[in-house]
């Protein structure tokens, strides 16, 4: 394991390397115990670099077995090799020369899952961000672009399949039961996009013909027996390829595109050129084993990795500080793809819920960082919601500011100007400035300044003058190492909603630039005055969540209820009801802490019930509207001195109040939504199931009985309904015979399918009860739990730490100790996953004092361990700072 040196990397220290590596030839003699890697690098000295300047290549835990320079074995004093570095003090003075480097790896012992490793007998690689240096010595940085030729040799019986990037060139037999294949990728690429897969896998094949007529052979590789579960992934891939042509004019550029599912993977998937490698969770799906959410995630992630081919691969990052250049932009593209394939408003609401649940707490806590950070200690810790999700919101705002046409012109210019290059956020923003003629200097602060901006709003109508004035005040709270903030350019989409629900016209506006339904906030304070407004409007602001901010203002309950019923912007309708729920839960939490029973306004409860029954709205939207804010949403609004038990009690009380009031309506709706058609994973079917399953929880609470959920569990013909029923049983009726029987039936049915059993772990780990801590310790002993498999760890411990506020924050600190023990156990073999799990502690300062002290103690205990990995030391120290 690479331990921490404390070194900090800074953006301002970037400088070009002295040498380039235009060509790379790799030969892998694969063996799980001892693989030999021969690398022939063509090295080129840059202009203006003195001949003979020292060449220093990166390594990570490498063993050098031989080195030749210009074909001649290197003398022992000609170089210095450590596991971390290969230094050639006086390389040849020629402009170009070759290095032959041989290293030896032990892939079967690699549990960090970076570099070359073995997952279920399949050899595979993961090189982003700095995994290539675990394979061979290299200038392992994204601005070194090389053309790769890769030869793979392996035992034919155990590895009939040999894949790498680019196009296949040659294959054949070798002696001793071995064989080989050669791949060539003509597109120069950074080392983090290198990939290799070798093993015995089943395949689904298809083809795609690009707009300009190139026929591409497609393959989705999965474990034998899982081929039918790969059909949806293949379909999503073809839809992604077509969509990128139609929406962005981007075509695929090789003769083959292969996608491989592996069962041990640190993240979701990886966009290696022409050979995407996936966590099998984001490939395998059928009605019996995958939920609608799984299908939607598969579509999104298949799209995401495919879209990287242009945003990430053809145009890549100059350095890792620019990570959002590829990630924020590609998330924006996958969001647009899903919005076009499904319901745009429903997709937008889901995105915002995700952003608030994951990115807001990051931006408001000790790990806050700008979308483009200026410093890091371990780059693996910057694959964050801020870089990905807020990065996507920033691109979305560019589109809002420029409009669709100028945005597309900016994207076209970016592709044209930078194809084949490694570039920066400045280059990206400049393309939009040049294509649109607009100045985005103030806007670019969104990339550079951390923290969630806050906008306070108040408004008044003057009936005599027929004018409407909005007072807007922006502020950005301080974040670690950035105490003073500059004023941002915040695009606020808005409408002045009249009594008939239509947006009202106005004559003139002063006090801010207002264009196409957007107020451009650029100063600390704007007083925006509209004239010619015939009657008092209701203000609908930040429509579509046009800016990722927090908002405050004294909107009356009546106005919010009005917007929930009438706003033409569906996001705003959802938001209005959601804000009312949040306010009710905040008040109820205070009541509970004061020792009283919470009460809820009947108009709010009735609004929820009537929305459920409103069949002019799509079911998926109604499901979202009826879903109460989660316990962490309420905690975030409270902000300080949080008591998770009180929040839990308040939320259950509101669920029950709605359940009791709506029970007759919900029962009829629940029955009416059921059809006997076979399962299809399309958005419409998913929407009906989503609504039905939200209703199921209300029905179970109204009945105070496990019967409705048990009935659904027993009769379900798909995983969405089965898992939803099991969740209701486990969360609300844990002590009953029905729940025990259902859990046992699920476990028995999927005993041979670890991926599906993850749902069983997940459901139990998320039960919001203090007893869950003890249950967790026994689930960790389950024969199917494995600390070396990241999916198992995330399903059980990740869900507990990040998805079960009440149990994780048990007042006695037992939840914290459970997670800390796991973090330390993981740390020994997989620092990346350990560090990510440790981020669960990031909001510790906002808890009430008892829990805060427990959390600090546990964190300090981790920090005291010797030889922590760079990954974990970085997270723990920043969290405690
Ligand atoms: N670039 C990938 C994410 C990714 C990053 C690091 C990894 O290392 C374990 C793996 C994947 C994406 O955005 O999909
Ligand atoms: Zn990505």
């Amino acid at each position: 394991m690479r331990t921490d040196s404390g070194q900090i990397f800074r953006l301002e220290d970037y400088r070009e390397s002295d040498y380039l590596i235009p060509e790379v030839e790799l030969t892998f003699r694969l063996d799980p115990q001892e693989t030999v890697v021969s690398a022939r690098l063509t090295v080129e000295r840059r202009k203006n670099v003195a001949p003979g300047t020292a060449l220093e290549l990166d390594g990570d835990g490498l063993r050098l077995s031989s080195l030749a320079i210009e074909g001649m074995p290197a003398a022992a004093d000609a170089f210095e090799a450590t596991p971390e570095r290969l230094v050639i003090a006086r390389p040849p003075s020629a402009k170009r020369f070759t290095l032959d480097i041989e290293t030896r790896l032990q892939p079967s012992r690699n549990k960090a899952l970076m570099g070359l490793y073995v997952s279920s007998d399949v050899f595979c690689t993961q090189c982003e961000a700095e995994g290539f240096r675990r394979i061979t010595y290299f200038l392992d940085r994204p601005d070194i672009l090389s053309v790769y030729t890769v030869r793979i040799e392996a035992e034919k019986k155990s590895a009939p399949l040999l894949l790498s990037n680019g196009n296949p060139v040659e294959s054949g037999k070798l002696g001793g039961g071995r064989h080989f294949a050669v791949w060539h990728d003509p597109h120069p690429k950074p080392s983090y996009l290198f990939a290799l897969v070798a093993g015995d896998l089943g395949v689904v094949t298809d083809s795609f013909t690009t707009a300009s007529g190139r026929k591409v052979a497609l393959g989705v590789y999965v474990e034998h027996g899982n081929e039918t579960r790969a059909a949806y992934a293949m379909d999503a891939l073809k839809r992604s390829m077509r969509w990128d042509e139609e929406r962005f004019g981007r075509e695929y550029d090789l003769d083959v595109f292969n996608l491989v599912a592996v069962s041990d993977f640190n993240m979701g998937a990886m966009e290696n050129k022409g050979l995407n490698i996936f966590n099998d969770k984001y490939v395998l799906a059928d009605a019996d084993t995958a939920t609608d959410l799984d299908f939607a995630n598969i579509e999104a992630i298949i799209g995401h990795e495919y879209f990287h081919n242009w945003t990430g691969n053809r145009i890549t990052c100059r350095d890792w500080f620019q990570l959002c250049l590829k990630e924020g932009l590609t998330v924006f593209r996958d969001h647009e793809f899903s919005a076009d394939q499904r319901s745009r408003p429903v997709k937008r609401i889901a995105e915002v819920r995700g952003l608030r649940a994951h990115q807001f707490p990051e931006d408001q806590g000790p790990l806050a960082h700008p979308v483009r950070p200026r410093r890091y200690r371990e780059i693996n810790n910057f694959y964050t919601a801020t870089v990905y999700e807020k990065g996507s919101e920033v691109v979305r705002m560019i589109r809002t500011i420029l409009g669709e046409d100028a945005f597309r012109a900016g994207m076209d210019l970016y592709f044209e100007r930078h194809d084949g290059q490694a570039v920066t956020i400045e280059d990206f923003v400049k393309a939009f400035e040049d294509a649109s003629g607009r100045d985005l200097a103030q806007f670019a602060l969104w990339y550079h300044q951390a923290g969630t901006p806050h906008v306070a709003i108040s408004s008044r109508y003057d009936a005599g003058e027929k004018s409407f004035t909005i007072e807007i005040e922006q502020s950005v709270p301080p974040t670690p190492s950035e105490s003073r903030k500059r004023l941002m350019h915040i695009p606020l989409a808005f409408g002045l909603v009249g009594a008939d629900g239509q947006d009202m016209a106005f004559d003139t506006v002063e006090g801010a630039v207002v264009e196409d339904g957007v107020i451009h906030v650029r100063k600390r304070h704007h007083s925006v005055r509209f004239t010619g407004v015939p009657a008092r409007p209701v203000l609908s602001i930040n429509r579509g969540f046009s800016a990722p901010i927090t908002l405050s203002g004294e909107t009356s309950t009546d106005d919010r209820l009005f917007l929930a019923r009438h706003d033409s912007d569906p996001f705003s309708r959802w938001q209005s009801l959601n804000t009312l729920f949040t306010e009710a839960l905040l008040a109820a939490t205070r009541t509970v802490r004061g020792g009283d029973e919470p009460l809820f306004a009947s108009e709010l409860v009735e609004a929820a019930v009537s929305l459920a029954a409103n069949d002019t709205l799509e079911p998926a939207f109604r499901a979202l509207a009826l879903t109460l804010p989660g316990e962490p949403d309420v905690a975030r609004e409270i902000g300080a001195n949080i008591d998770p038990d009180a929040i839990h009690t308040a939320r259950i009380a509101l669920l029950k109040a709605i359940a009791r009031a709506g029970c007759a309506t919900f029962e009829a709706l629940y029955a009416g939504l059921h059809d006997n058609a076979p399962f299809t994973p399309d958005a419409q079917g998913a929407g009906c199931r989503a609504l039905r399953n939200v209703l199921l929880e209300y029905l179970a609470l109204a009945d105070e009985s496990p019967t409705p959920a048990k009935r659904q569990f027993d009769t379900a013909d798909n995983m969405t309904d089965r898992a939803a029923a099991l969740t209701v049983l486990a969360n609300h009726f844990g002590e009953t015979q029905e729940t025990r029987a259902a859990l046992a039936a699920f476990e028995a049915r999927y005993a041979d399918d670890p991926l599906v059993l993850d749902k069983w772990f997940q459901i139990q780990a998320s039960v919001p009860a203090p007893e869950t801590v003890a249950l967790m310790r026994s689930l960790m002993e389950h024969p199917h739990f494995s600390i070396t498999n990241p999916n198992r760890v995330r399903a059980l411990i990740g869900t507990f730490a990040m998805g079960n506020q009440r149990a994780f924050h048990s007042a006695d600190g037992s939840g914290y100790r459970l997670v800390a023990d796991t973090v330390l156990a993981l740390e020994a073999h997989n620092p990346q996953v350990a560090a990510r799990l440790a981020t669960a502690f990031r909001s510790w300062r906002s808890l009430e004092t008892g829990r805060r002290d427990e959390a600090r103690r546990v964190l300090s205990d981790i920090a005291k361990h010797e030889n922590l990995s760079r990954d974990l030391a970085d997270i723990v120290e920043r969290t405690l700072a």
Side-chain angles (χ1 to χ4, degrees), residues 447-458:
Y447 282 110
H448 309 313
Q449 196 161 266
T452 312
H454 179 75
V455 174
I457 302 263
S458 64

Side-chain angles (χ1 to χ4, degrees), residues 5-61:
S5 66
Q7 188 184 356
I8 307 275
F9 297 88
R10 291 172 210 280
L11 173 61
E12 67 263 27
D13 292 343
Y14 173 84
R15 64 176 206 89
E16 273 183 359
S17 60
D18 293 332
Y19 291 92
L20 299 169
I21 308 181
E23 278 166 45
V24 178
E25 286 170 47
L26 296 171
T27 299
F28 288 83
R29 290 184 194 86
L30 290 175
D31 179 283
Q33 270 74 47
E34 173 118 324
T35 286
V36 181
V37 182
S38 309
R40 165 164 297 186
L41 313 184
T42 302
V43 181
E44 186 178 301
R45 183 167 40 80
R46 273 194 208 260
K47 281 198 218 74
N48 309 326
V49 171
T53 298
L55 170 63
E56 185 173 325
L57 303 179
D58 305 299
D60 180 3

Side-chain angles (χ1 to χ4, degrees), residues 466-468 470 494 496 506 508-509 519 528-533:
K466 302 224 175 306
S467 72
F468 184 68
I470 314 176
F494 78 107
L496 308 182
F506 50 84
T508 63
V509 55
I519 303 172
V528 187
R529 183 166 175 271
F530 299 87
T531 64
V533 182

